[in-house]
Amino acid sequence: FFSGPKGLPLSGLHALVTAGPTQEQIDPVRYIANRSSGKQGFAIAGALAALGARVTLVSGPVGLETPKGVERIDVVSADEMLAASLAALPADMALCVAAVADWKVVGAGVQKIKKTDDGKAPVLQFAENPDILATLSGLGADRPKLMVGFAAETEKLLAHAEAKRQRKGCDWIVANDVSYGSGVMGGDENAITLISDAGTERWEQTSKHAIAQRLALRIADHFQKSPSG
Ligand code: CTP
Ligand code: CA
């Protein structure tokens, strides 16, 4: 097995990992967000660090300990997550594990929205957030050589995930079934299918830590075969 200069397979490589949800402000006391514990992204960051990579973890609001050997940057919104990710470049690889809110609220106010006497609910207007995975994948010289996306789907898992890989221009996509009853959302286990140019590979349900270790080893193997990524 190839060893980097400092004896570990990912020594000398910089990995950027996004994790957790983002929160998009409605007003000072309210926000919208995705359901995401951040556990899978944090486990991946830790597994890459354990194999010798320098890891920058850009995290949305989560209640998790920073994995050993990982540099963590906390952000709240998608705009902040993109800015922190771009600032962390150059990186040899980027793994976008975050559940980024797809929309932000237009004109989020500095004052709390108050209820009105007529009982009318407020109408929120949304604008699409920047796509961090697509943005990083589309960079020229600064593009991390290995771009990995995640696709959480509730139906047509492989078709939707492969379409996402094409659309966003990433190299690998990790597809996971988050349909009701799969039991993976927020839990400690996950079952995934890895999709790359080489085809698809199903990894049976196991702990998020085991998935992270296997993915880190697969990445080490990739860089061993093509050291420039
Ligand atoms: N992603 C991202 N920035 C966004 C949205 C998504 O970086 N604004 C990344 C996620 O981190 C993940 C991948 O893109 O790696 C797929 O996210 P997903 O929400 O499944 O894709 P979307 O294009 O937002 O499609 P959907 O309509 O299914 O939500
Ligand atoms: Ca989305």
Side-chain angles (χ1 to χ4, degrees), residues 18-20 22 34 78 81-82 95-103 128-136 148-153 160 164 167-168 170 172-174:
T18 70
T22 66
N34 281 33
M81 187 171 273
L82 175 64
L95 295 91
C96 293
V97 198
V100 182
D102 289 318
W103 302 281
E128 198 166 305
N129 265 326
D131 190 310
I132 297 156
L133 175 61
T135 302
L136 297 178
V148 183
F150 277 67
E153 306 289 348
H160 280 165
K164 243 166 222 177
R167 190 168 73 241
K168 294 172 184 252
C170 60
W172 298 0
I173 205 145
V174 178

Side-chain angles (χ1 to χ4, degrees), residues 26 54 58 80 94 109 141:
I26 296 171
R54 176 164 82 82
V58 179
E80 288 172 15

Side-chain angles (χ1 to χ4, degrees), residues 17 27 36 50 69 135 137 144 148 152 156 168 174 188 202 204 229:
V17 180
D27 70 15
S36 168
T135 302
S137 296
V148 183
K156 300 182 190 141
K168 294 172 184 252
V174 178
D188 291 322
R202 169 144 176 100
E204 289 310 319

